[in-house]
Structure formats: structure tokens, C-alpha cells
Amino acid sequence: MIYLDYAATTPVDQRVLDVMMPYFRENYGNPSSVHRLGQKAETAIDSAREKVAAVLHCKPEEIIFTSCGTESDNFALRGAMMARRNASGETWILTSKTEHHAVSKTAEQLEKEYGFQLEWLDINKHGGVSPESLSKAVCNNTVLASLMLANNEIGTINLIADLAKIAKANHILFHTDAVQAAAYLDVNVEKLGVDLMSLGGHKFYGPKGVGALYVRKGTKLLPHMTGGGQENRQRAGTQNVPYIVGFAEALRLTAEEREARTAHVKPLRDQIIGRVLEEIPDSQLTGHPENRLPNHASFVFKDVDGNLLLQMLDSAGFACSSGSACKTGNPEPSEVITSLGHSLDWALGSLRITLGVDSTPEHVDSFLKALPELVEKVRKLHN
Ligand SMILES: *Cc1c(COP(=O)(O)O)cnc(C)c1O
């Protein structure tokens, strides 16, 4: 099997697994316990927090460890909206239709079930949000804007530093979902200028089921997990020590090896984009042609059943994706793809190929040899 689905998840780096292992059976203490085993676990969490803070250029106490990227997004949105409404009565949230469901469904729930007001920002044809569309949507009742650093389905990178500047000038909070971006982009919160930022371990060779939320000092969030005083009294529950240790090491390695990893995947990605558009009739790139994640190629093909194409690719030995992993098996077109303005005959035929550390030129070559025929085959079955 040739794995071309690194945006869905990545294998755990052996070096990450090695630092995690002692925290399952040797140093298994509860970080809240007073005895030495507990202190050892607490020290491990502290140094993990410092490692993460060093990559993000923030203070360790501004990091909250969570159970996944989805939880970080939920906590940022729900926590900030609830806290600000309680404090000042403000109720507006601004986000976009190209966000991951962890953000968009949370925003919808805040509107439908909790009485907040939601505005979807205009997106451009590459699925990005322009600073102008944010400025024109801000009103004096706005609490928060949430816009992702890089899109998981179409790879487009948003101009977060510019967007966050507008938020700051208007005294609104700015959250960015950097879960997909962190594998390749700088997640320095000072440069980005964000108040809240979500990360998830399994998108950068860390374990699944662990994430982090950066919370700028002074930003109030209403806790959604109540109980003990863990995570600076902001997120109750005994910390998942081995996973947090693994998350921090994976992020450290990602920052350290960012340039090398980028240099490895980018030419392969460019080869895929170039050859697919050249060799497959009625094909279009989705997302921004240049300003996109270096490992990310995504397309729509006219009159192609995307799910059938994925199954055929799977039978031929290639693991790819159509939009986000959660939508596989669902015949509805992806909201991200339709929000780009594609009609149904194009939108149902989306394909995402994402590369990673184990991708090779041979993988790409055999994929590019197989794809045109498979697309043709699916088209014939379709019509
Ligand atoms: C994967 C992903 C998430 C969800 O993260 P989990 O850790 O899988 O819950 C959220 N946002 C984006 C952009 C993602 O790519």
C-alpha cells in the first residue's frame, strides 16, 4: 500500500514513540499526586509544556493540553464565546464555510442551541478569506473570529498575520485552527498575532488523541471540562502523560526538521499537480496554486464519482482521500469544495493527495501512472 493521505493522519515517528514508552509502565504516576512518582509525571508534563512553548514562542502557562485538535477548536470557540457573553453581553462569531467541521459545526451549535449570532465570511475562489472580508464583517458586538491557518481539504494558506491584525484593531479575539498547518508552517504565535491557536498531535507524526490549545495570557475561557484543577484550572481531567510527552517531542522535531521535510515533499507535490492537470482531461486544481501547503495536492474531476475513484485507487494500492477523512463514504459533496463555487458535476469528483516523510519519487511515479486510467474507468461507469 502506498500511503498518500498524510493530511488525514501520520504514523507516529519512532523517536516520538521512544520518549513516550517509559510513561506507560515505569513512570505511570498521576501528575497531581504528591509522591515522587507523581512528581516525575508532573516534571514530564512541565517539560513538554516548555518544549511546546518554545516552538510557539509563548509562555508555558499559555498552553493547555487537550484530547485532540477537535477539542481544542471546541474549547476555543465555546469557551471564549461563553466567557465574553457572561462578561460583556457580546454575541457575534465570525468564521468561514471552509473551516474544518470542528470549528464550523461548533459555530453552528453556538448559534442554534446557545443563542449566539454567526456570520459566514466571504471566501475567495481559492478558499481563502481576505482581510477585507473580515474588516467589513466586524461589528461592535463581535467576540471572536476563527479562521484556519491552512485548509485540510484544499491546502490553501490564509494570511493569518494580516487577519489577526484586523481583529486586534477591532478589539475582537482571533482564533486559528493550525491543526493541519503545523506540520509545515511556522506556528509562532507572536508572528501570527493570534489569541487562540489549536494543534493536534497526529497530523505531525505524534499520537492520535492529544492536542493543545494556545491561550494568550488574559484571554478568558469558560472551562468545558469541570472537575480537578489541572491545566491551570482551565481543563479538568488527569493528563494523558505519555501522549503529552509524545505530542511535545513530535512538535519539536517538526519545527527542527521543517525545512528538510518541506524540501522533500514540495517537488513531489509539484510533479503531481503538473502532471495531473496536463494528463487528465476536465481536471482542476482546488485551493491556491502557490500559497498552499507544500505536501498538498487537491483536484476536482468532472463527472467522476469521487468515492468510487477512492475505492479503485485503494484496490490498486493507493491510499488517498476525497476532502476530509470524516466525509469518506458520504455521497454529499464537501461543503468546502461547493463553497469554492464548483457545480455538483465537478464537486462530487474531488481527490486529495498528501505527501509525507516516507513518500518517495517511486510512489509518486506509480501513482501518476495509475491515476489517468482509473479516472477514465470511473467516468465510463458514471455515464
Ligand atoms: C485533523 C484536523 C482537525 C481535527 O483534529 P483531531 O485531532 O483529529 O480531532 C481539526 N482541524 C483541522 C484543520 C484538521 O486538519
Side-chain angles (χ1 to χ4, degrees):
M1 193 76 186
I2 292 176
Y3 190 71
L4 299 168
D5 203 12
Y6 286 82
T9 196
T10 59
V12 175
D13 189 310
Q14 184 62 51
R15 296 167 293 178
V16 169
L17 191 60
D18 291 344
V19 301
M20 291 171 64
M21 290 313 279
Y23 294 95
F24 286 103
R25 290 191 52 80
E26 292 152 52
N27 307 324
Y28 55 82
N30 184 326
S32 301
S33 297
V34 173
H35 51 68
R36 266 168 291 167
L37 259 184
Q39 282 169 19
K40 227 175 190 166
E42 194 187 14
T43 305
I45 301 263
D46 288 347
S47 69
R49 208 183 301 282
E50 278 162 23
K51 259 191 208 178
V52 174
V55 174
L56 269 53
H57 292 259
C58 68
K59 300 181 193 77
E61 63 271 22
E62 292 175 311
I63 304 294
I64 298 173
F65 289 115
T66 66
S67 68
C68 59
T70 298
E71 187 194 327
S72 298
D73 285 340
N74 271 259
F75 188 23
L77 267 65
R78 207 173 280 115
M81 294 307 289
M82 298 282 198
R84 278 286 273 268
R85 182 168 65 182
N86 291 349
S88 63
E90 294 163 338
T91 52
W92 278 92
I93 180 166
L94 309 175
T95 187
S96 116
K97 294 255 174 165
T98 55
E99 290 296 311
H100 190 276
H101 277 169
V103 166
S104 58
K105 296 282 175 191
T106 304
E108 280 175 9
Q109 195 199 53
L110 285 165
E111 181 189 35
K112 294 203 174 77
E113 309 290 339
Y114 292 82
F116 287 94
Q117 285 152 301
L118 167 61
E119 182 166 341
W120 300 109
L121 297 170
D122 293 338
I123 56 162
N124 60 37
K125 65 178 177 190
H126 300 311
V129 172
S130 70
E132 296 72 45
S133 67
L134 176 60
S135 337
K136 99 177 171 223
V138 175
C139 67
N140 51 19
N141 211 2
T142 308
V143 178
L144 172 90
S146 178
L147 295 167
M148 68 209 312
L149 180 48
N151 189 286
N152 49 301
E153 284 191 46
I154 55 174
T156 297
I157 298 168
N158 266 322
L159 304 168
I160 292 302
D162 296 341
L163 293 160
K165 236 175 242 156
I166 290 164
K168 188 163 186 190
N170 288 282
H171 310 287
I172 70 171
L173 295 172
F174 193 91
H175 167 250
T176 195
D177 173 344
V179 179
Q180 190 63 235
Y184 292 98
L185 305 183
D186 191 2
V187 284
N188 178 329
V189 293
E190 285 314 315
K191 282 193 198 155
L192 293 170
V194 297
D195 302 298
L196 297 153
M197 181 172 76
S198 303
L199 298 171
H202 73 100
K203 304 287 174 72
F204 48 78
Y205 307 97
K208 293 168 186 63
V210 62
L213 180 65
Y214 159 75
V215 184
R216 185 177 290 277
K217 197 168 185 244
T219 309
K220 297 256 179 328
L221 300 183
L222 187 73
H224 66 302
M225 297 274 278
T226 47
Q230 291 92 349
E231 298 299 297
N232 212 5
R233 287 177 299 284
Q234 296 193 85
R235 200 262 183 191
T238 301
Q239 289 97 338
N240 190 341
V241 183
Y243 280 55
I244 288 171
V245 166
F247 175 95
E249 180 64 4
L251 186 65
R252 188 189 72 74
L253 289 166
T254 297
E256 194 174 276
E257 298 175 1
R258 185 167 287 135
E259 280 173 32
R261 290 183 191 178
T262 301
H264 171 66
V265 292
K266 206 170 173 185
L268 298 175
R269 176 206 69 178
D270 289 341
Q271 199 188 350
I272 293 173
I273 293 177
R275 278 188 50 193
V276 165
L277 295 178
E278 196 179 290
E279 292 175 20
I280 300 182
D282 281 331
S283 60
Q284 284 183 47
L285 184 73
T286 54
H288 201 286
E290 288 100 37
N291 198 17
R292 62 186 299 127
L293 288 172
N295 71 325
H296 197 295
S298 56
F299 306 93
V300 282
F301 303 117
K302 188 167 184 280
D303 297 325
V304 164
D305 176 339
N307 279 314
L308 188 56
L309 180 60
L310 285 186
Q311 285 164 29
M312 301 249 244
L313 280 164
D314 179 54
S315 307
F318 303 99
C320 307
S321 180
S322 148
S324 96
C326 352
K327 291 190 196 100
T328 308
N330 183 345
E332 295 273 304
S334 139
E335 230 174 297
V336 175
I337 306 291
T338 48
S339 69
L340 298 177
H342 290 296
S343 53
L344 210 60
D345 50 344
W346 283 89
L348 286 171
S350 71
L351 179 68
R352 177 182 77 183
I353 301 108
T354 46
L355 304 161
V357 290
D358 295 321
S359 303
T360 66
E362 292 72 38
H363 290 166
V364 169
D365 214 51
S366 62
F367 171 76
L368 289 170
K369 279 202 183 102
L371 185 67
E373 255 174 67
L374 292 176
V375 170
E376 236 3 79
K377 222 164 156 182
V378 176
R379 271 190 179 139
K380 284 206 183 102
L381 288 170
H382 188 92
N383 294 315

